Amino acid sequence: MWNLTVVLCLIWAATILYGEMFAFWVPSSLTCSWPHDLHHQSPSSSISGAEFSSDYMKVAVLADPQVMDRTSLHLAPKSLALEIVQFYTDLFMRRAILESVLPFQPDVILFLGDYLDGGPILSDEEWQESLSRFKHIFNLNMLERSAKTQVYYLPGNHDIGYSAIHSRMPEVIKRYEREFGSRNYQFSVGKVDFIAIDAQTLDGPSQGNFTAATWDFVKNIAKDVSLTPRVLLTHIPLYRPDWTSCGPHRSSPVINQWVSRDAETEEILYQNYVTQKSSNSLLEMVKPVLILSGHDHDQCTVSHSSKHGQVAEHTLGTISWQQGNLYPSFMLLSVSNQALDDLSSKEDAILTHLCFLPMQTHIYIWYICQFVLTLLVLLLWPTNGIGFSHHLGGIVGYIRSLISCSIFGDGTKEKNEDENCEYEMIWDAEGSMHLIKKTSKAPTKLSNDKGVVERGNAVIRSAAKKQISQETDVSVSVDVNVPLIRTNKSKAKMVIRRLVRIVRTLTVVAAVNVPLYMMLLFKDWIDK
């Protein structure tokens, strides 16, 4: 039985280690790599690895963490249920950044918006609390102190809302800008320009200050006639016709365009995509070679037609496992350090590779299934384990009896109907009854053709013999009830022993693996 306990302990330890740690090592070690490394490994590449790697800057792109708060679920604020959900959601994203993203050693980390869930409607105190969690999850305090990695942010609708909120609550945008900086800006990585815009203000009222500021920024970008390749960053994806295919990486149905406006002011309350007019203007003025967006929470790759050719847009899935996507993801960009003249096309300046994180929901489902399987094994496992020693002993005894009959019985086995035997009832640990035959000395019986049995001067005739047989049958039928009572008691004892065994084994397994599980939780949660 202890062998089974040890096996279960090892199986659970391996499962916990994989689900809580090793699964997050898979992207950085097996399934994902920098796009320029993949290009270098292709048969057509003749450039050395070190030389090829130095030609590119490395950018990791994350979208829609949406740190959960009181607005996320129909749970009471500060309730235990909400605290547990927040903890495990935050823990997944922290493991993702520490174990899956940072091991790639990116030069730049780019967030595509929606850092908080209820950002526009949270009080200042609640907003600061969620912001602190966001910084802790993604280790931003350490990254900001490090000169090796730069971090850039993009506003999302869950951070500042849409134009209907901007006109009534301008302090929401001011609060965002104090922490994350300008909503519309430009920065360079390698020989590529990244254009970040506040997509939530693009389709606002033309007389609105925030909308006008965004379009003024876009117009200034359009005046720059530089041939440097550009990447457009927008939280809300650009317009595409309804039912446009999103490519092979999408796991949920395609979302079509939907715009909700305020009944009085006609200001936007929500939208799935930037309107067609605004999208065409952006493509014409910015002239991007690549577009990166979020907001959709699922992966989507589409191609836009513009006056300057086809432009690919990658909508990234959320990095959180609690935002409606079973397959969280992030993207790696290899950005060229070479001038445009050294490239065959502008598109070659940015290489992309989509990477998937562990499916946390499936891990928890496997935990539940394994627990049920553990209970079934303990319930059905034989009390004495699985072994062949008692079966082997019975076979050896049978062979030994055959040999003895062959040696001492002149090689002939005759049936002896007058053999007088006794049977002793034996119960094994399983509660089963066995009859063990024991030979006893019987009185000498002489029989004749008339069926008369004589012993000394006494004669037992057939009638008397029949009466004795009937009495014997009655006594046997009465005695059979005794083993049934014993069998019921043995079954009850067996059930009790099995329950005790289950509790004892589960206690041992928990004593070994619960500390391991808690150690992994605290290992990942503490500040690095």
Side-chain angles (χ1 to χ4, degrees):
M1 189 60 205
W2 283 107
N3 293 335
L4 177 61
T5 303
V6 172
V7 171
L8 290 176
C9 286
L10 293 177
I11 292 176
W12 271 103
T15 300
I16 291 174
L17 285 172
Y18 177 81
E20 304 299 319
M21 184 169 63
F22 296 153
F24 292 87
W25 293 359
V26 171
S28 59
S29 59
L30 297 177
T31 63
C32 198
S33 61
W34 289 107
H36 61 265
D37 290 336
L38 296 175
H39 189 277
H40 165 63
Q41 294 172 3
S42 64
S44 60
S45 177
S46 60
I47 307 176
S48 65
E51 180 183 354
F52 196 85
S53 179
S54 63
D55 289 338
Y56 286 88
M57 297 285 288
K58 299 177 290 186
V59 181
V61 189
L62 315 177
D64 298 274
Q66 287 187 216
V67 174
M68 302 181 73
D69 51 46
R70 64 175 175 83
T71 67
S72 304
L73 301 172
H74 299 291
L75 298 173
K78 303 297 183 181
S79 64
L80 178 60
L82 181 59
E83 295 290 338
I84 291 175
V85 173
Q86 288 178 347
F87 174 78
Y88 279 97
T89 305
D90 296 355
L91 180 63
F92 176 88
M93 292 187 290
R94 182 164 176 81
R95 286 171 171 169
I97 190 71
L98 294 179
E99 308 295 342
S100 299
V101 178
L102 291 184
F104 284 105
Q105 299 179 345
D107 301 309
V108 175
I109 294 180
L110 175 60
F111 288 93
L112 295 181
D114 278 2
Y115 315 122
L116 314 182
D117 202 4
I121 62 177
L122 295 178
S123 65
D124 288 342
E125 182 180 356
E126 292 172 329
W127 195 84
Q128 287 293 337
E129 180 183 351
S130 294
L131 178 64
S132 298
R133 286 170 52 207
F134 171 70
K135 288 186 174 182
H136 171 71
I137 291 169
F138 294 99
N139 220 27
L140 294 178
N141 293 328
M142 184 275 292
L143 292 175
E144 290 173 355
R145 293 193 300 266
S146 173
K148 296 181 179 179
T149 304
Q150 293 180 305
V151 183
Y152 295 96
Y153 304 95
L154 186 69
N157 61 292
H158 280 269
D159 302 317
I160 62 173
Y162 294 94
S163 59
I165 291 181
H166 302 161
S167 60
R168 297 194 302 266
M169 303 171 60
E171 65 274 9
V172 170
I173 288 183
K174 295 179 181 179
R175 183 171 63 182
Y176 173 87
E177 290 180 334
R178 282 197 301 269
E179 181 62 38
F180 296 102
S182 177
R183 296 171 292 112
N184 303 288
Y185 63 101
Q186 176 182 357
F187 63 94
S188 297
V189 178
K191 298 298 182 180
V192 176
D193 289 338
F194 286 76
I195 312 300
I197 61 170
D198 177 8
Q200 288 69 226
T201 60
L202 287 172
D203 295 312
S206 57
Q207 67 274 15
N209 294 332
F210 298 117
T211 299
T214 299
W215 282 110
D216 288 342
F217 170 78
V218 174
K219 291 175 183 177
N220 289 330
I221 293 296
K223 294 177 182 179
D224 186 359
V225 295
S226 172
L227 297 179
T228 303
R230 291 172 178 171
V231 176
L232 176 62
L233 306 177
T234 167
H235 174 71
I236 302 177
L238 299 191
Y239 174 82
R240 72 283 310 268
D242 288 351
W243 308 114
T244 299
S245 175
C246 279
H249 297 300
R250 188 160 186 101
S251 57
S252 61
V254 173
I255 298 175
N256 294 324
Q257 174 67 300
W258 178 65
V259 180
S260 175
R261 296 182 181 271
D262 186 89
E264 297 180 359
T265 63
E266 290 297 317
E267 293 178 330
I268 291 180
L269 296 171
Y270 186 85
Q271 64 184 138
N272 288 333
Y273 303 123
V274 177
T275 60
Q276 185 175 11
K277 178 181 178 181
S278 298
S279 298
N280 292 336
S281 298
L282 286 174
L283 291 172
E284 181 179 351
M285 289 189 284
V286 177
K287 303 179 183 66
V289 298
L290 179 69
I291 303 170
L292 298 177
S293 58
H295 188 58
D296 197 0
H297 289 198
D298 203 347
Q299 297 72 228
C300 186
T301 300
V302 298
S303 181
H304 298 284
S305 299
S306 70
K307 296 180 181 180
H308 310 285
Q310 296 293 317
V311 182
E313 177 181 357
H314 293 292
T315 299
L316 271 67
T318 175
I319 195 174
S320 172
W321 70 284
Q322 280 280 12
Q323 296 300 327
N325 189 349
L326 295 177
Y327 307 93
S329 62
F330 64 97
M331 179 169 280
L332 298 179
L333 303 181
S334 293
V335 181
S336 176
N337 274 324
Q338 296 179 347
L340 185 60
D341 296 339
D342 299 330
L343 299 173
S344 58
S345 65
K346 289 185 177 181
E347 289 75 12
D348 293 336
I350 307 102
L351 305 176
T352 64
H353 187 196
L354 182 64
C355 303
F356 288 95
L357 293 165
M359 294 171 285
Q360 187 65 62
T361 304
H362 293 185
I363 292 175
Y364 288 151
I365 291 175
W366 172 241
Y367 286 168
I368 296 174
C369 293
Q370 184 165 316
F371 180 74
V372 173
L373 290 174
T374 301
L375 291 180
L376 291 177
V377 168
L378 293 176
L379 185 63
L380 301 178
W381 197 267
T383 305
N384 295 328
I386 295 179
F388 300 95
S389 58
H390 59 286
H391 298 293
L392 183 61
I395 295 174
V396 171
Y398 179 72
I399 295 175
R400 185 180 299 169
S401 64
L402 291 178
I403 296 175
S404 62
C405 289
S406 299
I407 296 177
F408 301 103
D410 296 331
T412 304
K413 183 175 177 62
E414 298 180 354
K415 181 177 180 180
N416 186 1
E417 297 179 351
D418 295 330
E419 182 181 7
N420 191 3
C421 299
E422 294 180 353
Y423 291 86
E424 181 179 358
M425 290 177 290
I426 302 294
W427 287 268
D428 61 11
E430 293 287 342
S432 302
M433 184 186 73
H434 302 276
L435 294 178
I436 306 300
K437 184 169 67 174
K438 298 176 63 177
T439 304
S440 61
K441 295 181 180 180
T444 305
K445 297 185 291 182
L446 299 176
S447 59
N448 55 18
D449 296 335
K450 296 180 180 181
V452 178
V453 180
E454 299 181 0
R455 184 179 180 183
N457 296 326
V459 177
I460 302 178
R461 299 189 181 276
S462 300
K465 183 176 181 180
K466 181 177 181 181
Q467 182 179 359
I468 294 175
S469 300
Q470 292 176 351
E471 293 177 355
T472 304
D473 293 339
V474 172
S475 63
V476 171
S477 63
V478 173
D479 292 339
V480 167
N481 292 327
V482 177
L484 293 177
I485 297 175
R486 291 191 177 183
T487 302
N488 292 334
K489 291 183 178 180
S490 299
K491 288 183 178 180
K493 291 181 180 179
M494 180 184 67
V495 172
I496 294 174
R497 283 199 300 268
R498 286 184 179 275
L499 292 177
V500 171
R501 182 180 67 177
I502 292 174
V503 173
R504 181 184 62 192
T505 304
L506 290 179
T507 302
V508 174
V509 173
V512 173
N513 289 281
V514 169
L516 174 63
Y517 178 75
M518 299 303 296
M519 180 188 68
L520 293 175
L521 290 184
F522 287 108
K523 176 188 77 69
D524 294 324
W525 190 244
I526 60 175
D527 287 320
K528 300 295 181 179

